[in-house]
């Protein structure tokens, strides 16, 4: 029988394990009584305002050494500010209180409560794995019909806290990758509803911090490969073996920074979890600036906003951009078989279908089997973004004496070009001597060398801006623009598609809304006039680092998604003429990529030409969606065309936050720009300062 001394020793041990903190509501009262804001307290504790808020509403508990510092502060405040003048006593907290979230309609479904895990940030110390009890259940019931009440994703930290959207924190008891997958599918209630009635729900995403990776038996970092995309665990790694032993499967990408773990669909239920390993560089700094270094709750906020406005991340932003196309235009839909009366999978009109499609030879790349096996030597489409500098000898004295060079950048120019863009949906058919039709998407062999344009403008037909020297392959929009300029076009041959549609429309609409809404969150709204817009854009990156990261990811999604439509072979072992994995996707469509870039380049040239008519100004240089103009002042308002009413003139460049409108890219001296031009360099590439290089389309 236990002695009194043993029992007291056990109780003392338990007390040491529990955080000696007052209840959450008392923490908030004490801080307010001391006149300290959450932000100021967060600075003192070297954490975030949201984390302090979580401490005060019971969503989370501090961890050492922050626990001891917070405890010390609260003891001092409790002595100074007792409740109603009574001596303040620090009440040892029991298990952290359950966060119930926003009020939800009541339901009589007994399973709704039984399946919801307790939402905690820092659970009480757990028993050993062999005696671990089931997690406590959440008392608040989710909204009726809500299958994913905890959002699309969670960020798992090393202490078992899984941080979700809207401040939710779940207790995840998993100690292995297999346990994590099973907990995610059975208890987490994470996921996102499908974006199209014929689509599929988004699989839950678990983002794993470095500490959580080590706890799960994964290496903190992967080494040994020059390219990040090549990183993956070897097949004989214990974790990979555990996954296989538990009858789970990995995709062909293996266990890398973005790992998909799944079992084949049984009935209607998908069994698939996406993992993103932060310390393996899952979040590329170029697409997600600063996110990997954020606190888990802030990472969850960034990725959660992106998931709600765009899509649950499924890999790089380029992969997510491509996946978004398919999610919004699923390849199949259910239809009834007239003979059997059964429901079968049928083609969804307007989609790209389920089978990969070979391009026409001029639309392919030089290493493509279509080209190598046919011996094609007839040239290729060269629909790329502008990289053009005006010859220095075409600068006028009036331009050279202007003090400034001002760069304008078009917001998500490729996204703007995707709006109402008709593309081919079927395989290409070959035609000889066809009559040009601007409504038919395809590739045309045409001689446009006879088109005469002002040499102070780039040619609209080539990425270099140089005048064509003979017949070449062009996408429909490029040829249509020559016709728009009043020139006769006589195609020699063409590869055209009979089935067409605005495939990218829903993709454009969703990303445009995401872009505009995120800019609005940063204080850049549609109702601002030119001066207010420029001022807001100058400050927007200081407003909220999380939303700045979301904005960067949205822009990278557009650029990367378009680039993925013509993904090239990767790896040193590739041999010309072999098929590479990307070719097996229905979304490997270089002709659609060419259509987007062609339209974007034509849109840019049309604005350049209109600016000449409206203002008499010619550009110094163009790089992709950035154009540099000589200017009498540092602001683009000094030279952009405005009517007497104060409204911008239609046709030229306009300032604003929506795709296709312009923002200030940078300002330098005119002498600086001319010096670069004389050296054969492009001022648009460096106008931002600090040797900044703009994105050039992919």
């Amino acid at each position: 029988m236990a002695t009194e001394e043993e029992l007291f020793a056990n109780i003392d041990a338990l007390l040491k394990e529990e955080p000696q903190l007052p209840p959450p509501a008392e923490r908030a009262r004490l801080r307010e009584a001391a006149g300290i804001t959450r932000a100021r307290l967060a600075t003192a504790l070297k954490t975030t305002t949201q984390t302090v808020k979580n401490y005060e509403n019971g969503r989370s508990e501090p961890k050492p050494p922050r626990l001891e510092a917070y405890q010390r502060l609260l003891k001092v405040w409790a002595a100074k500010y007792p409740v109603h003048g009574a001596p303040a006593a620090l009440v040892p907290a029991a298990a952290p209180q359950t966060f119930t979230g926003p009020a939800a309609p009541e339901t009589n479904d007994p399973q709704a409560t039984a399946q919801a895990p307790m939402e905690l940030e820092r659970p009480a110390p757990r028993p050993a794995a062999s005696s671990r009890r089931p997690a406590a259940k959440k008392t608040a019931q989710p909204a009726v019909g809500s299958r994913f009440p905890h959002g699309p994703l969670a960020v798992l930290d090393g202490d078992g806290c899984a941080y979700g959207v809207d401040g939710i924190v779940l207790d995840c008891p998993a100690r292995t990758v297999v346990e994590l997958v099973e907990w995610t599918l059975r208890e987490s209630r994470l996921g996102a509803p499908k974006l199209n009635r014929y689509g599929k729900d988004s699989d839950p995403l678990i983002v794993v911090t470095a500490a959580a990776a080590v706890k799960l038996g994964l290496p903190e970092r992967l080494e040994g490969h020059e390219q990040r995309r090549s990183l993956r665990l070897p097949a004989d790694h214990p974790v990979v073996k555990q996954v296989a032993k538990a009858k789970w499967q990995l995709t062909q990408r293996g266990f890398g920074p973005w790992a998909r773990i799944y079992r084949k669909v049984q009935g209607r239920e998908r069994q698939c979890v996406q993992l993103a390993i932060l310390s393996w560089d899952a979040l590329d700094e170029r697409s997600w600036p600063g996110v990997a270094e954020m606190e888990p709750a802030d990472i969850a906020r960034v990725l959660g906003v992106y998931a709600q406005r765009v899509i649950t991340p499924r890999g790089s932003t380029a992969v997510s951009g491509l996946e978004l196309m398919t999610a919004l235009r699923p390849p199949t839909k259910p239809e009834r078989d007239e003979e059997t009366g059964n429901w079968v999978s049928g083609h969804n009109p307007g989609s790209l279908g389920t089978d990969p499609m070979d391009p026409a030879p001029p639309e392919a790349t030089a290493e493509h089997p279509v080209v190598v096996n046919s011996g094609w030597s007839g040239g290729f489409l060269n629909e790329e973004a502008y990289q053009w500098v005006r010859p220095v000898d075409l600068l006028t004295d009036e331009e050279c004496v202007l003090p400034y060079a001002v760069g304008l950048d078009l917001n998500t120019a490729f996204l703007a070009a995707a709006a109402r863009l008709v593309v081919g949906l079927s395989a290409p058919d070959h035609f000889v001597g066809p009559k040009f039709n601007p409504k038919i998407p395809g590739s045309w062999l045409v001689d446009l060398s006879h088109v005469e344009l002002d040499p102070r403008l780039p040619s609209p037909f080539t990425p270099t801006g140089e005048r064509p020297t003979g017949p070449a392959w062009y996408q429909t929009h490029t040829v249509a623009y020559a016709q728009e300029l009043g020139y006769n076009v006589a195609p020699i041959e063409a590869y055209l598609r009979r089935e067409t549609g605005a495939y990218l429309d829903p993709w454009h609409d969703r990303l445009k809304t995401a872009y505009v809404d995120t800019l609005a969150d940063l204080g850049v709204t549609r109702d601002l006039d030119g001066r207010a817009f420029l001022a807001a854009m100058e400050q927007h990156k200081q407003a909220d680092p999380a939303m700045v990261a979301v904005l960067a990811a949205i822009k990278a999604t557009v650029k990367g998604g378009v680039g993925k439509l013509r993904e090239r072979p990767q790896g040193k072992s590739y041999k010309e003429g072999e098929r590479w994995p990307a070719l097996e996707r229905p979304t490997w469509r270089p002709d659609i990529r060419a259509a987007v870039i062609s339209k974007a380049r034509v849109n840019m040239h049309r604005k350049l030409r209109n600016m000449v008519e409206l203002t008499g100004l010619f550009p110094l240089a163009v790089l992709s969606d950035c154009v540099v103009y000589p200017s009498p002042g540092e602001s683009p308002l000094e030279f952009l065309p405005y009517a007497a009413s104060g409204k911008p003139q239609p046709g030229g460049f306009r300032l604003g936050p929506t795709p296709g409108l312009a923002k200030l890219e940078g300002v330098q001296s005119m002498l600086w720009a001319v010096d670069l031009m004389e050296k054969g360099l492009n001022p648009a590439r460096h106008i931002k300062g600090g040797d900044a290089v703009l994105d050039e389309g992919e």
Side-chain angles (χ1 to χ4, degrees):
M1 185 173 178
T3 65
E4 180 178 328
E5 184 178 347
E6 290 173 334
L7 291 174
F8 273 88
N10 291 341
I11 293 301
D12 289 341
L14 285 176
L15 289 174
K16 288 180 180 179
E17 290 182 2
E18 291 290 346
Q20 302 296 302
L21 293 173
E26 176 65 4
R27 303 169 199 174
R29 186 195 73 79
L30 290 171
R31 178 185 54 75
E32 291 170 355
I36 301 298
T37 64
R38 283 176 178 153
R40 188 175 173 189
L41 178 55
T43 301
L45 293 174
K46 293 188 175 181
T47 186
T48 64
T49 304
Q50 179 62 48
T51 299
V52 172
K53 186 177 180 181
N54 288 345
Y55 295 164
E56 295 181 353
N57 60 27
R59 295 182 185 176
S60 66
E61 295 292 309
K63 309 168 186 63
R66 193 170 287 122
L67 169 62
E68 289 78 11
Y70 191 38
Q71 177 185 17
R72 179 181 179 185
L73 178 65
L74 292 176
K75 281 183 177 179
V76 173
W77 282 347
K80 284 186 176 181
Y81 312 107
V83 180
H84 303 302
L90 286 177
V91 182
Q97 295 182 0
T98 299
F99 170 66
T100 59
E106 294 186 1
T107 174
N108 295 322
D109 181 4
Q111 295 183 350
T113 301
Q115 294 177 356
M118 190 174 185
E119 297 179 12
L120 306 170
E121 180 179 339
R122 186 175 185 272
R126 302 187 185 92
S130 59
S131 60
R132 190 179 302 141
R133 294 173 294 174
K137 305 303 178 184
K138 194 176 74 169
T139 56
Q141 298 176 357
V144 176
S146 174
R147 289 168 296 136
F148 309 112
H150 298 147
L153 55 87
V155 181
L156 179 65
D157 208 355
D159 59 0
C161 295
Y163 297 80
V165 299
D166 300 326
I168 287 176
V169 187
L170 307 174
D171 177 19
C172 175
R175 295 182 181 274
T176 68
V177 169
V178 171
E179 289 179 2
L180 175 60
V181 170
E182 293 176 348
W183 171 83
T184 303
L185 293 174
R186 295 174 184 174
E187 298 184 50
S188 74
R189 309 193 77 182
L190 295 169
K194 55 194 175 186
L195 299 179
N196 182 286
R197 60 182 297 195
Y198 301 131
K200 301 173 183 176
D201 294 335
S202 286
D203 298 318
L205 168 64
I206 302 294
V207 181
V208 182
T209 66
V214 172
K215 177 182 174 182
L216 295 171
L218 298 168
E220 183 174 346
R221 296 196 175 275
L222 282 182
E223 306 291 348
H225 293 280
E226 295 180 2
Q227 294 182 327
R228 188 175 61 88
R229 66 170 66 96
S230 302
L231 296 176
R232 59 177 56 89
L233 289 179
D236 59 353
H237 191 278
V239 170
V240 177
K241 289 183 176 180
Q242 290 170 10
V243 170
K245 185 177 180 181
K247 308 299 183 185
W248 291 96
Q249 299 181 51
L250 294 165
T251 63
Q252 291 183 350
R253 287 190 296 180
F255 206 121
W258 290 89
R260 293 180 73 81
I261 303 176
Y262 71 98
R263 283 179 180 150
K264 291 184 178 180
V265 177
Q266 297 178 354
R268 289 188 172 184
E269 295 299 320
R270 283 174 60 83
Q271 298 184 82
C272 184
V273 175
Q274 175 81 63
L275 301 182
I277 317 299
L278 285 177
S279 56
W280 297 2
D281 297 327
L283 299 181
D284 190 323
E285 175 68 18
R286 294 168 297 180
S287 302
W288 302 96
V291 177
E293 305 304 320
M294 292 181 179
E295 293 289 328
D298 296 318
I299 296 173
R301 180 184 172 217
V302 171
L303 298 180
V305 172
Y306 179 89
Q308 291 162 349
R309 294 183 178 179
V310 182
I311 192 172
T312 303
R314 304 183 184 186
S316 66
T317 48
V319 169
S320 297
L322 204 63
E323 292 281 345
L324 181 62
M325 295 179 194
T326 303
L328 293 168
R329 293 275 200 192
T332 62
K333 70 170 186 174
E335 58 183 31
R336 190 180 295 276
D337 188 314
E338 296 182 359
E339 295 183 1
T340 64
N342 296 329
W343 288 97
V344 296
S345 180
H347 174 66
N348 183 22
S351 76
L352 298 182
T354 57
D355 298 323
M357 184 183 301
D358 280 339
E363 298 166 347
T365 56
E367 66 271 18
H368 195 286
V370 163
V371 174
V372 176
N373 296 338
S374 67
W376 174 263
S377 59
F380 300 95
L381 279 176
N382 189 23
E383 299 288 9
E384 302 294 341
Y386 269 133
Q387 295 191 52
W388 172 82
V389 179
R390 199 204 310 179
V392 178
D393 58 4
L394 294 180
L395 293 176
T396 64
D397 292 339
E398 291 80 4
E399 289 174 323
C400 290
V401 297
L402 289 172
Y404 297 105
V406 176
L408 292 176
D409 180 67
L410 296 182
N411 303 320
T412 56
F414 286 177
L415 183 61
R420 315 301 172 252
L421 176 67
V422 176
V423 300
L425 302 178
S426 57
D429 290 323
H430 184 228
F431 297 88
V432 176
K435 181 179 179 181
F436 178 68
N437 186 334
K439 295 183 178 180
I440 300 178
S443 303
W444 309 76
L445 181 61
V446 188
D447 188 350
L448 299 178
S449 60
H450 62 289
V451 177
E452 288 278 358
L453 295 173
D454 194 306
R456 290 173 291 178
L457 289 177
S459 167
F461 310 127
T462 64
T464 62
E466 297 176 355
R467 182 173 176 172
T469 57
W473 289 96
Y474 301 101
Q475 202 276 335
T476 297
H477 281 88
T478 305
V479 184
Y481 188 57
Q483 200 173 59
E484 178 185 323
L485 293 173
Y487 290 88
N488 179 53
V489 293
I492 301 167
E493 58 181 305
Y495 286 89
L496 310 176
R497 288 168 168 80
R498 300 179 187 276
E499 295 180 30
T500 65
Y503 172 72
L504 293 175
D505 263 10
W507 186 80
H508 162 271
D509 294 347
R510 186 167 178 85
L511 285 169
K512 176 183 177 181
T513 300
Y515 180 81
V516 172
D517 287 352
T518 306
L519 264 180
D521 289 339
L522 293 168
V524 186
T525 56
R526 297 190 189 197
D527 58 346
L528 300 177
D529 63 19
R531 294 189 185 280
F533 169 75
L534 291 172
M537 285 299 296
E538 189 174 354
Q539 299 295 325
H540 81 284
K541 289 190 177 181
Q542 283 74 49
D544 183 344
M547 297 311 293
V548 169
V550 173
L551 185 68
I554 291 170
K555 293 192 286 187
T557 301
V558 173
K559 181 189 70 169
V562 173
K564 275 280 185 181
L565 292 168
R566 197 192 66 168
E567 184 177 356
R568 305 294 286 267
Q570 301 165 2
K572 296 179 180 179
S573 61
Y574 175 76
K575 295 181 180 179
E576 190 176 81
E578 293 179 347
R579 294 187 69 83
W580 59 94
L583 300 188
E584 306 312 315
R585 296 193 316 249
T587 48
W588 195 86
R589 290 294 303 273
D591 57 300
I592 295 180
R593 174 187 176 276
V596 172
I597 298 176
S598 168
K599 186 178 175 185
R601 198 180 66 245
V602 164
N603 285 347
M604 171 64 83
H605 193 275
R606 189 180 287 112
K607 291 180 185 296
L608 297 175
R609 191 164 51 87
N610 288 339
M611 283 288 289
V612 174
E613 296 177 1
L614 293 168
T615 68
L617 285 177
F618 289 85
L620 301 176
V622 184
L623 180 70
S624 187
D625 48 12
C626 177
V627 57
V628 177
Y629 276 103
S631 172
E634 295 183 79
S635 170
L637 295 173
E638 299 281 351
F639 62 87
L640 289 179
Y642 282 83
S645 63
K647 293 184 178 181
Q649 293 276 25
F653 293 102
R654 296 173 52 194
L655 298 175
T658 55
L661 298 188
K663 60 181 180 290
L664 177 64
E665 181 66 16
V667 182
Q668 300 288 345
S669 72
M670 187 64 180
L671 288 175
W672 169 91
V674 174
D675 182 57
L676 286 185
M677 295 168 71
E678 289 176 339
K679 294 177 181 177
L681 301 176
N682 192 326
R685 185 180 295 275
H686 308 279
I687 191 74
K688 204 170 186 176
D691 277 335
V693 177
L694 285 87
D695 295 330
E696 296 177 25
E698 284 190 58

